[in-house]
Amino acid sequence: MKHITLIILLFASVAVFAQSDADVLFTVEDTPVYVGEFKYIYEKTNQDNANYSKDSVEEYLELYKKFKLKVQRAKDIELDTIKALQKELDGYRKQLANSYLIDKEVTERLIKEAYERKKLDVNISHIMVKLPNDASPQDTLAKFEKIRGFYNQLENGKKFEELLSLSEDVSSLKTKGNLGFVTALLPNGFYTLENAAYNTNVGGYSRPVRTKIGYHIIKSNGKRPARGEIEVAHILIRSTNPNMPELKQPRKSEKIINEIYAELEAGVSWDSLVMKSEDNTTRNSGGSVGKFGIGRFDPVFEEAAFSVTEDGGYSKPFKSKAGWHIIKRIKKYPLKSYDEERGKLQNKIKKDGRYQIAQDAMIKRIQKINNFKQYDKVVNQLRSSLNDEFTTYKWKANPNPSNKVIFTLGDESYIQSELEAFLEQSSRKRQRIGRSGDVASTFNTLYEEFVRSKTLEYEEKQLEKKFPEFKYLMNEYEEGILLFEATKTEIWDRASQDSVGLAQYYEKIRKSDKFQWKQRAEVSFYTLKADDKDKIKAIRKMAAKKSTSEVLKKYNSDTNKPLTVRRETFESGKNKVVDAMKWKEGSLSPVEINSNNNSLNFIKIEKILPSTGKSLSEARGYAVAEYQDYLEKKWLEELKSSYKVVVNQETLDKLIK
């Protein structure tokens, strides 16, 4: 009884403290802001610092309330009805929804699938029926019937090994159909075979699968933890004389490799012994054959490589098809964490045929879940009504639109006129596809594309329901657009265009330190070309007492101008050379030589300007920024007085940890 009471109390406690993302955290003029939305933006903004402490949550809540006040004003002044903004938002949603749907439904699933598969190596055998790429529909059907016949025999009790002699993969007959151990990802075009390999129980066989080379039935012989990748070097002594391979004369290769192994055991360095290797492609690089996984080299070589248990260790001599080897392990590369492997897997998957296969499967799944129904009679009638003009630019949709339903998906109906409009807009595709196919096949290809696009559009509309984070992201983007426009209207444009208001505000703030000039020096930079360096003393002497115009007049002519002078003004602390000079009119800096062109340079202080206030034109950038801050504060005060904000304290308390 005590235990029952404890359980009841526990569930009662959970009920009291449970919080839903659908709970209202606060309202702005009766417009609700939900917990899920706030958590999403709070965590996104604060990232690792999103600890839900009282101070952190309350501080961010104040910021978010201000944000929502501005958004409310933007909606009240109907900025959300501006066509340009709606078009921008629609474009963003289309782009985001398309990538989001594919990433969530296809890419992420394939990456996780590949990563889990890479943890295992699978030993498989197969029975194969070859199928050329250009096989006709009749030949394809005949090949499928043949592999299905094999499958039916297996289902009726025939042993897999009894059918191997009928396999059309001649290369694997010597190994009784055994392909050895394989691991994901298999090469492009073999995703279906990979599926069969990993999804078939050990000792069992798969249903027929099609790859780019034919049909297969897979038998699973065993599974083991994946070996991953390894980097090795080797010393090779060939079985035949490498200098006279055509003679194929016997050699004492085993004796030679054993002598090398004895030297290695005696302490002779690998680098010196590898120079005896007869593998010309690796000898000069320490014998390195690089990094590899299973299935790349002779199984004997591969087995020896993975049997070396530590980096720097080496194998005993062994024989492969190429000759006798000693292998040295350089480094073992086990499978990294999912986060580390993810990027590399994603790049491979998007280039692989499995990506399209998975997308097609997703389309079929969406259609199945949403009760896709095609009205074959309508589709067939439209197809049969088309003539050769359909594959030319001349074809146009029927001027009298038909409202006949061609298919339904969920609660949506798609009519013939929509399809015809799509076909008309696809003029270039119609012509391109029509060059290599007849009217019917051209229509079929474009019709499938239309159905596919409408299926994706339908699913995109469900994203907000299926993925709350998508809903929050779209809401964030929409409100961001509105906030930008509202702020531009109320703050930025006004601050830059309201010259009277800006001037009046500047009068109030101009005495602050940021709008005061410190003491300044007006200086002249003298530069003399290297070829005239013998004149520098005379120029400095004249510059100390005369004006720049007089100095330039004396030393420059219409045809020769070795001397240039530019004028600048610096506050104290803004230029190291000027700061180091004595701040007095007529002061000269030491001569410096420019390392790039050997020109001679010095500075003269022309005038000392006392501290004074900046004019509005001199301080305009800072003044406008200050005015913007002032306008925003006034705007927020007005918004707070105009709109009622109510925080649900109980919900807020539950949010705080």
Side-chain angles (χ1 to χ4, degrees):
M1 189 67 182
K2 288 181 179 179
H3 293 298
I4 295 173
T5 304
L6 181 60
I7 291 170
I8 292 171
L9 288 172
L10 177 60
F11 276 99
S13 172
V14 171
V16 169
F17 291 104
Q19 184 179 49
S20 167
D21 283 353
D23 289 345
V24 176
L25 180 59
F26 68 94
T27 58
V28 179
E29 206 65 20
D30 297 328
T31 301
V33 177
Y34 299 101
V35 167
E37 177 190 341
F38 180 80
K39 286 166 62 178
Y40 163 80
I41 198 69
Y42 169 78
E43 291 175 4
K44 182 177 180 179
T45 303
N46 292 282
Q47 297 185 1
D48 293 341
N49 295 321
N51 55 17
Y52 287 95
S53 66
K54 188 174 187 297
D55 289 344
S56 174
V57 170
E58 289 183 347
E59 179 184 1
Y60 196 77
L61 178 61
E62 286 303 309
L63 292 173
Y64 206 51
K65 282 157 60 178
K66 293 176 183 177
F67 170 76
K68 286 293 186 177
L69 282 168
K70 296 174 183 177
V71 170
Q72 187 68 40
R73 172 56 57 83
K75 291 180 178 179
D76 284 352
I77 60 177
E78 298 184 338
L79 292 178
D80 54 342
T81 65
I82 297 175
K83 296 297 183 184
L85 299 187
Q86 291 177 340
K87 185 177 180 180
E88 180 183 352
L89 184 63
D90 288 344
Y92 178 78
R93 190 190 189 285
K94 182 70 177 176
Q95 180 183 356
L96 178 64
N98 197 21
S99 62
Y100 200 92
L101 181 62
I102 299 300
D103 284 346
K104 289 289 183 183
E105 298 283 343
V106 177
T107 310
E108 199 64 36
R109 183 183 68 76
L110 287 175
I111 294 172
K112 289 178 179 177
E113 176 187 81
Y115 182 76
E116 290 303 314
R117 287 179 176 180
K118 284 178 73 67
K119 294 178 181 178
L120 288 175
D121 296 335
V122 186
N123 188 288
I124 58 173
S125 299
H126 80 147
I127 299 168
M128 186 182 84
V129 174
K130 290 183 179 179
L131 182 66
N133 288 331
D134 57 352
S136 67
Q138 294 82 0
D139 289 342
T140 301
L141 179 60
K143 295 289 187 179
F144 176 71
E145 291 296 340
K146 185 174 183 179
I147 197 75
R148 189 166 67 172
F150 294 156
Y151 180 76
N152 290 337
Q153 291 183 61
L154 291 171
E155 289 287 272
N156 291 326
K158 196 97 170 180
K159 290 186 178 180
F160 192 87
E161 290 70 23
E162 294 179 279
L163 294 173
L164 283 171
S165 61
L166 302 175
S167 175
E168 296 178 6
D169 180 11
V170 179
S171 63
S172 69
L173 291 180
K174 294 180 181 178
T175 59
K176 297 181 179 180
N178 192 294
L179 301 177
F181 278 97
V182 298
T183 195
L185 283 62
L186 291 189
N188 192 12
F190 291 91
Y191 178 56
T192 52
L193 190 143
E194 181 186 305
N195 285 336
Y198 279 92
N199 295 334
T200 303
N201 293 327
V202 174
Y205 54 87
S206 71
R207 298 183 67 84
V209 295
R210 182 176 176 177
T211 69
K212 66 180 182 180
I213 60 173
Y215 289 103
H216 312 254
I217 297 173
I218 301 298
K219 180 183 178 184
S220 176
N221 303 315
K223 298 179 181 181
R224 71 184 181 196
R227 284 181 165 177
E229 294 183 310
I230 195 170
E231 184 180 357
V232 303
H234 79 141
I235 296 170
L236 169 67
I237 301 299
R238 299 189 184 277
S239 299
T240 59
N241 191 321
N243 297 318
M244 294 181 290
E246 70 281 356
L247 298 180
K248 297 184 179 179
Q249 57 190 38
R251 303 180 70 207
K252 296 181 179 180
S253 306
E254 185 177 6
K255 180 176 182 295
I256 297 171
I257 200 73
N258 282 331
E259 289 172 351
I260 294 173
Y261 181 75
E263 290 185 87
L264 194 60
E265 289 280 83
V268 179
S269 73
W270 175 272
D271 289 341
S272 60
L273 292 173
V274 79
M275 299 310 295
K276 298 181 180 182
S277 175
E278 293 174 354
D279 182 354
N280 296 332
T281 60
T282 66
R283 182 173 57 228
N284 293 325
S285 58
S288 174
V289 298
K291 184 170 70 170
F292 61 91
I294 64 170
R296 179 174 167 187
F297 292 123
D298 184 331
V300 175
F301 185 91
E302 180 185 298
E303 194 65 34
F306 282 100
S307 67
V308 182
T309 57
E310 59 184 21
D311 294 349
Y314 48 86
S315 70
K316 290 183 178 180
F318 67 93
K319 188 178 182 182
S320 76
K321 295 176 183 177
W324 286 85
H325 310 256
I326 300 171
I327 282 178
K328 176 185 176 182
R329 176 168 134 175
I330 298 172
K331 189 174 182 179
K332 182 75 165 57
Y333 296 88
L335 186 65
K336 297 178 183 178
S337 70
Y338 178 78
D339 288 340
E340 292 175 298
E341 293 281 351
R342 190 182 184 285
K344 183 170 65 175
L345 287 173
Q346 180 173 329
N347 290 336
K348 289 183 178 179
I349 282 167
K350 287 195 171 182
K351 297 175 183 177
D352 192 270
R354 72 186 62 205
Y355 196 63
Q356 186 61 50
I357 292 172
Q359 286 190 51
D360 294 341
M362 178 192 71
I363 296 291
K364 290 179 180 178
R365 181 186 59 76
I366 294 169
Q367 292 174 346
K368 183 178 180 181
I369 291 172
N370 295 285
N371 300 315
F372 173 83
K373 182 181 178 181
Q374 178 174 292
Y375 291 84
D376 293 337
K377 184 178 179 180
V378 179
V379 176
N380 292 337
Q381 284 179 344
L382 176 59
R383 183 192 296 112
S384 61
S385 71
L386 301 173
N387 55 32
D388 291 342
E389 191 178 80
F390 180 70
T391 57
T392 72
Y393 70 91
K394 297 179 181 179
W395 186 86
K396 303 295 180 185
N398 193 324
N400 300 312
S402 170
N403 291 326
K404 291 180 181 179
V405 176
I406 53 174
F407 65 87
T408 58
L409 186 65
D411 55 358
E412 298 277 349
S413 295
Y414 301 87
I415 59 178
Q416 181 174 323
S417 59
E418 289 182 79
L419 172 59
E420 288 189 35
F422 171 81
L423 295 173
E424 182 176 333
Q425 292 165 5
S426 305
S427 176
R428 289 186 179 180
K429 283 187 179 179
R430 278 191 288 107
Q431 295 175 66
R432 176 172 51 80
I433 299 170
R435 284 196 291 269
S436 56
D438 57 20
V439 170
S441 61
T442 302
F443 171 84
N444 291 341
T445 300
L446 292 171
Y447 175 69
E448 288 174 9
E449 185 179 323
F450 176 75
V451 174
R452 180 187 180 88
S453 67
K454 292 303 178 182
T455 302
L456 285 174
E457 283 181 15
Y458 180 85
E459 187 69 2
E460 286 168 5
K461 293 176 184 177
Q462 319 306 315
L463 285 175
E464 280 89 350
K465 299 175 186 176
K466 295 179 65 175
F467 302 109
E469 61 269 30
F470 177 84
K471 175 183 176 182
Y472 300 145
L473 189 58
M474 280 305 305
N475 186 61
E476 178 189 1
Y477 191 79
E478 178 183 10
E479 293 187 340
I481 292 175
L482 293 177
L483 176 64
F484 179 88
E485 287 299 317
T487 306
K488 181 175 180 294
T489 302
E490 299 285 344
I491 307 298
W492 301 331
D493 288 350
R494 184 176 168 190
S496 60
Q497 296 170 9
D498 181 12
S499 57
V500 174
L502 176 61
Q504 290 174 346
Y505 180 71
Y506 187 64
E507 286 302 315
K508 298 177 182 178
I509 63 172
R510 67 181 305 160
K511 292 183 180 179
S512 65
D513 289 343
K514 68 173 66 176
F515 299 116
Q516 302 297 313
W517 287 117
K518 297 178 184 178
Q519 189 181 36
R520 290 171 292 162
E522 191 176 314
V523 303
S524 295
F525 287 83
Y526 283 77
T527 300
L528 181 65
K529 291 181 179 179
D531 293 343
D532 294 272
K533 62 182 179 180
D534 57 318
K535 301 174 182 175
I536 189 66
K537 288 184 179 180
I539 290 172
R540 280 172 60 80
K541 184 176 180 181
M542 184 176 182
K545 297 179 180 180
K546 302 291 184 179
S547 67
T548 55
S549 59
E550 291 177 288
V551 177
L552 287 169
K553 184 177 180 181
K554 178 174 177 62
Y555 289 96
N556 284 351
S557 66
D558 292 339
T559 57
N560 183 30
K561 297 181 179 181
L563 183 64
T564 58
V565 182
R566 61 184 172 85
R567 185 75 62 93
E568 285 191 46
T569 301
F570 294 97
E571 278 188 293
S572 60
K574 298 296 184 180
N575 184 289
K576 291 181 180 180
V577 178
V578 175
D579 288 342
M581 296 172 63
K582 186 175 181 180
W583 278 47
K584 179 182 178 182
E585 291 183 7
S587 292
L588 302 179
S589 70
V591 176
E592 291 185 355
I593 299 176
N594 187 315
S595 59
N596 293 325
N597 56 17
N598 293 321
S599 63
L600 288 81
N601 305 271
F602 68 90
I603 299 172
K604 175 189 176 184
I605 294 180
E606 302 286 359
K607 189 184 295 185
I608 302 296
L609 305 174
S611 299
T612 184
K614 296 180 181 179
S615 66
L616 177 56
S617 62
E618 291 173 323
R620 184 173 181 80
Y622 288 112
V624 169
E626 290 278 325
Y627 191 39
Q628 286 176 350
D629 291 342
Y630 167 75
L631 291 175
E632 184 166 14
K633 289 176 184 176
K634 297 290 287 182
W635 187 34
L636 278 170
E637 289 173 5
E638 186 267 319
L639 292 174
K640 287 177 181 178
S641 65
S642 300
Y643 297 114
K644 184 179 179 181
V645 178
V646 179
V647 176
N648 187 328
Q649 191 61 45
E650 183 180 353
T651 302
L652 177 61
D653 291 341
K654 290 179 184 178
L655 195 60
I656 294 170
K657 295 180 181 178

